Amino acid sequence: MLTSTTNDIFGHRIVRHIGVVRGITVRSRNLVSDAIGGVQSMLGGRVGAYVKLAEMSRQEAFEHLIEQARAAGGNAILAIRYESNEIMPGVTEVLAYGTAVVVEVGQ
């Protein structure tokens, strides 16, 4: 699956637009990450426990995005973006979305 944050993929011609696809995950913090994150935040700097959780959430949403594009018949996703919202304290939704397309391969 080719992916891009731009509206095209250099060297590939778009032959069909499929439409918007999305991948979503909802994650919650846990007691261990809260404890480690709390200590790290008191010391200042990077809060690794939360960075790891955020990265895992984005990766999971991205993988779901690719699954949706494949299921729709796409072989590429353009204009990929991420959004996140806190649903309730400690529970965050992460959304990855883009435009599924079919591009010519083998050029």
PDB file of all heavy atoms in Angstrom, residues 29-54:
ATOM      1  N   ARG A  29      -5.429   5.209  29.191  1.00  0.00           N
ATOM      2  CA  ARG A  29      -4.203   5.092  29.985  1.00  0.00           C
ATOM      3  C   ARG A  29      -4.434   4.001  31.017  1.00  0.00           C
ATOM      4  O   ARG A  29      -5.554   3.598  31.288  1.00  0.00           O
ATOM      5  CB  ARG A  29      -3.893   6.412  30.682  1.00  0.00           C
ATOM      6  CG  ARG A  29      -3.674   7.556  29.711  1.00  0.00           C
ATOM      7  CD  ARG A  29      -3.248   8.816  30.417  1.00  0.00           C
ATOM      8  NE  ARG A  29      -4.045   9.098  31.598  1.00  0.00           N
ATOM      9  CZ  ARG A  29      -4.699  10.221  31.828  1.00  0.00           C
ATOM     10  NH1 ARG A  29      -4.702  11.166  30.928  1.00  0.00           N
ATOM     11  NH2 ARG A  29      -5.372  10.406  32.932  1.00  0.00           N
ATOM     12  N   ASN A  30      -3.337   3.549  31.621  1.00  0.00           N
ATOM     13  CA  ASN A  30      -3.475   2.569  32.692  1.00  0.00           C
ATOM     14  C   ASN A  30      -2.713   3.059  33.927  1.00  0.00           C
ATOM     15  O   ASN A  30      -1.985   4.055  33.867  1.00  0.00           O
ATOM     16  CB  ASN A  30      -3.017   1.176  32.246  1.00  0.00           C
ATOM     17  CG  ASN A  30      -1.555   1.143  31.873  1.00  0.00           C
ATOM     18  OD1 ASN A  30      -0.708   1.620  32.604  1.00  0.00           O
ATOM     19  ND2 ASN A  30      -1.252   0.565  30.715  1.00  0.00           N
ATOM     20  N   LEU A  31      -2.900   2.379  35.022  1.00  0.00           N
ATOM     21  CA  LEU A  31      -2.287   2.808  36.278  1.00  0.00           C
ATOM     22  C   LEU A  31      -0.770   2.880  36.199  1.00  0.00           C
ATOM     23  O   LEU A  31      -0.154   3.801  36.745  1.00  0.00           O
ATOM     24  CB  LEU A  31      -2.712   1.882  37.421  1.00  0.00           C
ATOM     25  CG  LEU A  31      -4.177   1.971  37.835  1.00  0.00           C
ATOM     26  CD1 LEU A  31      -4.501   0.902  38.874  1.00  0.00           C
ATOM     27  CD2 LEU A  31      -4.490   3.352  38.371  1.00  0.00           C
ATOM     28  N   VAL A  32      -0.154   1.920  35.525  1.00  0.00           N
ATOM     29  CA  VAL A  32       1.308   1.904  35.432  1.00  0.00           C
ATOM     30  C   VAL A  32       1.802   3.102  34.636  1.00  0.00           C
ATOM     31  O   VAL A  32       2.702   3.823  35.074  1.00  0.00           O
ATOM     32  CB  VAL A  32       1.799   0.576  34.810  1.00  0.00           C
ATOM     33  CG1 VAL A  32       3.305   0.616  34.564  1.00  0.00           C
ATOM     34  CG2 VAL A  32       1.431  -0.603  35.697  1.00  0.00           C
ATOM     35  N   SER A  33       1.203   3.347  33.451  1.00  0.00           N
ATOM     36  CA  SER A  33       1.657   4.483  32.647  1.00  0.00           C
ATOM     37  C   SER A  33       1.359   5.802  33.346  1.00  0.00           C
ATOM     38  O   SER A  33       2.131   6.755  33.242  1.00  0.00           O
ATOM     39  CB  SER A  33       1.049   4.459  31.243  1.00  0.00           C
ATOM     40  OG  SER A  33      -0.346   4.620  31.282  1.00  0.00           O
ATOM     41  N   ASP A  34       0.232   5.881  34.073  1.00  0.00           N
ATOM     42  CA  ASP A  34      -0.067   7.096  34.831  1.00  0.00           C
ATOM     43  C   ASP A  34       0.972   7.340  35.920  1.00  0.00           C
ATOM     44  O   ASP A  34       1.407   8.476  36.138  1.00  0.00           O
ATOM     45  CB  ASP A  34      -1.458   7.030  35.453  1.00  0.00           C
ATOM     46  CG  ASP A  34      -2.555   7.459  34.495  1.00  0.00           C
ATOM     47  OD1 ASP A  34      -2.225   7.996  33.416  1.00  0.00           O
ATOM     48  OD2 ASP A  34      -3.731   7.262  34.819  1.00  0.00           O
ATOM     49  N   ALA A  35       1.372   6.285  36.615  1.00  0.00           N
ATOM     50  CA  ALA A  35       2.371   6.435  37.681  1.00  0.00           C
ATOM     51  C   ALA A  35       3.714   6.860  37.106  1.00  0.00           C
ATOM     52  O   ALA A  35       4.346   7.806  37.593  1.00  0.00           O
ATOM     53  CB  ALA A  35       2.513   5.125  38.450  1.00  0.00           C
ATOM     54  N   ILE A  36       4.148   6.177  36.049  1.00  0.00           N
ATOM     55  CA  ILE A  36       5.431   6.523  35.420  1.00  0.00           C
ATOM     56  C   ILE A  36       5.351   7.915  34.807  1.00  0.00           C
ATOM     57  O   ILE A  36       6.259   8.730  34.968  1.00  0.00           O
ATOM     58  CB  ILE A  36       5.808   5.471  34.358  1.00  0.00           C
ATOM     59  CG1 ILE A  36       6.094   4.130  35.035  1.00  0.00           C
ATOM     60  CG2 ILE A  36       7.014   5.924  33.545  1.00  0.00           C
ATOM     61  CD1 ILE A  36       6.220   2.965  34.077  1.00  0.00           C
ATOM     62  N   GLY A  37       4.255   8.193  34.106  1.00  0.00           N
ATOM     63  CA  GLY A  37       4.085   9.515  33.492  1.00  0.00           C
ATOM     64  C   GLY A  37       4.051  10.623  34.521  1.00  0.00           C
ATOM     65  O   GLY A  37       4.586  11.705  34.296  1.00  0.00           O
ATOM     66  N   GLY A  38       3.414  10.365  35.664  1.00  0.00           N
ATOM     67  CA  GLY A  38       3.363  11.371  36.731  1.00  0.00           C
ATOM     68  C   GLY A  38       4.744  11.708  37.258  1.00  0.00           C
ATOM     69  O   GLY A  38       5.088  12.877  37.457  1.00  0.00           O
ATOM     70  N   VAL A  39       5.561  10.695  37.469  1.00  0.00           N
ATOM     71  CA  VAL A  39       6.934  10.921  37.940  1.00  0.00           C
ATOM     72  C   VAL A  39       7.734  11.657  36.886  1.00  0.00           C
ATOM     73  O   VAL A  39       8.443  12.629  37.184  1.00  0.00           O
ATOM     74  CB  VAL A  39       7.614   9.578  38.319  1.00  0.00           C
ATOM     75  CG1 VAL A  39       9.106   9.780  38.562  1.00  0.00           C
ATOM     76  CG2 VAL A  39       6.945   8.958  39.533  1.00  0.00           C
ATOM     77  N   GLN A  40       7.627  11.228  35.620  1.00  0.00           N
ATOM     78  CA  GLN A  40       8.372  11.878  34.548  1.00  0.00           C
ATOM     79  C   GLN A  40       7.952  13.335  34.378  1.00  0.00           C
ATOM     80  O   GLN A  40       8.789  14.196  34.129  1.00  0.00           O
ATOM     81  CB  GLN A  40       8.184  11.116  33.231  1.00  0.00           C
ATOM     82  CG  GLN A  40       8.900   9.792  33.206  1.00  0.00           C
ATOM     83  CD  GLN A  40       8.641   9.020  31.921  1.00  0.00           C
ATOM     84  OE1 GLN A  40       7.592   9.151  31.294  1.00  0.00           O
ATOM     85  NE2 GLN A  40       9.600   8.186  31.537  1.00  0.00           N
ATOM     86  N   SER A  41       6.662  13.625  34.531  1.00  0.00           N
ATOM     87  CA  SER A  41       6.207  15.003  34.358  1.00  0.00           C
ATOM     88  C   SER A  41       6.702  15.903  35.491  1.00  0.00           C
ATOM     89  O   SER A  41       6.940  17.089  35.279  1.00  0.00           O
ATOM     90  CB  SER A  41       4.681  15.061  34.245  1.00  0.00           C
ATOM     91  OG  SER A  41       4.071  14.715  35.462  1.00  0.00           O
ATOM     92  N   MET A  42       6.879  15.337  36.685  1.00  0.00           N
ATOM     93  CA  MET A  42       7.418  16.138  37.789  1.00  0.00           C
ATOM     94  C   MET A  42       8.883  16.487  37.549  1.00  0.00           C
ATOM     95  O   MET A  42       9.354  17.533  37.983  1.00  0.00           O
ATOM     96  CB  MET A  42       7.280  15.385  39.121  1.00  0.00           C
ATOM     97  CG  MET A  42       5.856  15.349  39.637  1.00  0.00           C
ATOM     98  SD  MET A  42       5.756  14.637  41.284  1.00  0.00           S
ATOM     99  CE  MET A  42       5.835  12.893  40.924  1.00  0.00           C
ATOM    100  N   LEU A  43       9.600  15.608  36.848  1.00  0.00           N
ATOM    101  CA  LEU A  43      11.012  15.837  36.574  1.00  0.00           C
ATOM    102  C   LEU A  43      11.216  16.746  35.365  1.00  0.00           C
ATOM    103  O   LEU A  43      12.304  17.264  35.163  1.00  0.00           O
ATOM    104  CB  LEU A  43      11.734  14.503  36.346  1.00  0.00           C
ATOM    105  CG  LEU A  43      11.706  13.531  37.524  1.00  0.00           C
ATOM    106  CD1 LEU A  43      12.289  12.188  37.115  1.00  0.00           C
ATOM    107  CD2 LEU A  43      12.435  14.108  38.726  1.00  0.00           C
ATOM    108  N   GLY A  44      10.189  16.924  34.576  1.00  0.00           N
ATOM    109  CA  GLY A  44      10.274  17.766  33.393  1.00  0.00           C
ATOM    110  C   GLY A  44      10.785  16.986  32.193  1.00  0.00           C
ATOM    111  O   GLY A  44      11.331  15.896  32.320  1.00  0.00           O
ATOM    112  N   GLY A  45      10.597  17.536  31.015  1.00  0.00           N
ATOM    113  CA  GLY A  45      11.084  16.899  29.798  1.00  0.00           C
ATOM    114  C   GLY A  45      10.085  15.950  29.183  1.00  0.00           C
ATOM    115  O   GLY A  45       8.887  15.990  29.460  1.00  0.00           O
ATOM    116  N   ARG A  46      10.613  15.077  28.387  1.00  0.00           N
ATOM    117  CA  ARG A  46       9.810  14.117  27.623  1.00  0.00           C
ATOM    118  C   ARG A  46       9.149  13.113  28.557  1.00  0.00           C
ATOM    119  O   ARG A  46       9.798  12.552  29.427  1.00  0.00           O
ATOM    120  CB  ARG A  46      10.739  13.394  26.661  1.00  0.00           C
ATOM    121  CG  ARG A  46      10.076  12.476  25.699  1.00  0.00           C
ATOM    122  CD  ARG A  46      11.141  11.974  24.698  1.00  0.00           C
ATOM    123  NE  ARG A  46      10.556  11.269  23.603  1.00  0.00           N
ATOM    124  CZ  ARG A  46      10.445   9.940  23.536  1.00  0.00           C
ATOM    125  NH1 ARG A  46      10.886   9.190  24.511  1.00  0.00           N
ATOM    126  NH2 ARG A  46       9.902   9.378  22.487  1.00  0.00           N
ATOM    127  N   VAL A  47       7.859  12.878  28.345  1.00  0.00           N
ATOM    128  CA  VAL A  47       7.118  11.919  29.154  1.00  0.00           C
ATOM    129  C   VAL A  47       6.967  10.644  28.313  1.00  0.00           C
ATOM    130  O   VAL A  47       5.984  10.440  27.609  1.00  0.00           O
ATOM    131  CB  VAL A  47       5.748  12.473  29.593  1.00  0.00           C
ATOM    132  CG1 VAL A  47       5.043  11.482  30.495  1.00  0.00           C
ATOM    133  CG2 VAL A  47       5.917  13.814  30.295  1.00  0.00           C
ATOM    134  N   GLY A  48       7.991   9.796  28.397  1.00  0.00           N
ATOM    135  CA  GLY A  48       8.103   8.616  27.552  1.00  0.00           C
ATOM    136  C   GLY A  48       6.924   7.664  27.635  1.00  0.00           C
ATOM    137  O   GLY A  48       6.539   7.062  26.633  1.00  0.00           O
ATOM    138  N   ALA A  49       6.339   7.503  28.821  1.00  0.00           N
ATOM    139  CA  ALA A  49       5.207   6.585  28.973  1.00  0.00           C
ATOM    140  C   ALA A  49       4.040   7.013  28.094  1.00  0.00           C
ATOM    141  O   ALA A  49       3.373   6.186  27.468  1.00  0.00           O
ATOM    142  CB  ALA A  49       4.775   6.528  30.434  1.00  0.00           C
ATOM    143  N   TYR A  50       3.802   8.308  28.009  1.00  0.00           N
ATOM    144  CA  TYR A  50       2.692   8.805  27.195  1.00  0.00           C
ATOM    145  C   TYR A  50       3.060   8.869  25.716  1.00  0.00           C
ATOM    146  O   TYR A  50       2.204   8.694  24.851  1.00  0.00           O
ATOM    147  CB  TYR A  50       2.211  10.157  27.698  1.00  0.00           C
ATOM    148  CG  TYR A  50       1.574  10.074  29.070  1.00  0.00           C
ATOM    149  CD1 TYR A  50       1.813  11.045  30.031  1.00  0.00           C
ATOM    150  CD2 TYR A  50       0.740   9.014  29.421  1.00  0.00           C
ATOM    151  CE1 TYR A  50       1.233  10.972  31.293  1.00  0.00           C
ATOM    152  CE2 TYR A  50       0.163   8.927  30.671  1.00  0.00           C
ATOM    153  CZ  TYR A  50       0.406   9.911  31.601  1.00  0.00           C
ATOM    154  OH  TYR A  50      -0.162   9.831  32.848  1.00  0.00           O
ATOM    155  N   VAL A  51       4.329   9.119  25.420  1.00  0.00           N
ATOM    156  CA  VAL A  51       4.770   9.109  24.026  1.00  0.00           C
ATOM    157  C   VAL A  51       4.555   7.714  23.444  1.00  0.00           C
ATOM    158  O   VAL A  51       4.041   7.566  22.329  1.00  0.00           O
ATOM    159  CB  VAL A  51       6.251   9.519  23.899  1.00  0.00           C
ATOM    160  CG1 VAL A  51       6.781   9.274  22.503  1.00  0.00           C
ATOM    161  CG2 VAL A  51       6.432  10.978  24.288  1.00  0.00           C
ATOM    162  N   LYS A  52       4.920   6.686  24.194  1.00  0.00           N
ATOM    163  CA  LYS A  52       4.742   5.306  23.737  1.00  0.00           C
ATOM    164  C   LYS A  52       3.260   5.000  23.492  1.00  0.00           C
ATOM    165  O   LYS A  52       2.894   4.419  22.468  1.00  0.00           O
ATOM    166  CB  LYS A  52       5.323   4.334  24.756  1.00  0.00           C
ATOM    167  CG  LYS A  52       5.233   2.899  24.331  1.00  0.00           C
ATOM    168  CD  LYS A  52       5.886   1.972  25.353  1.00  0.00           C
ATOM    169  CE  LYS A  52       5.709   0.520  24.930  1.00  0.00           C
ATOM    170  NZ  LYS A  52       6.282  -0.412  25.885  1.00  0.00           N
ATOM    171  N   LEU A  53       2.399   5.410  24.404  1.00  0.00           N
ATOM    172  CA  LEU A  53       0.963   5.185  24.252  1.00  0.00           C
ATOM    173  C   LEU A  53       0.420   5.919  23.027  1.00  0.00           C
ATOM    174  O   LEU A  53      -0.359   5.359  22.244  1.00  0.00           O
ATOM    175  CB  LEU A  53       0.217   5.636  25.509  1.00  0.00           C
ATOM    176  CG  LEU A  53      -1.296   5.459  25.511  1.00  0.00           C
ATOM    177  CD1 LEU A  53      -1.677   3.987  25.380  1.00  0.00           C
ATOM    178  CD2 LEU A  53      -1.885   6.044  26.782  1.00  0.00           C
ATOM    179  N   ALA A  54       0.848   7.161  22.823  1.00  0.00           N
ATOM    180  CA  ALA A  54       0.383   7.939  21.670  1.00  0.00           C
ATOM    181  C   ALA A  54       0.848   7.301  20.364  1.00  0.00           C
ATOM    182  O   ALA A  54       0.070   7.192  19.409  1.00  0.00           O
ATOM    183  CB  ALA A  54       0.888   9.381  21.769  1.00  0.00           C
TER     184      ALA A  54
END
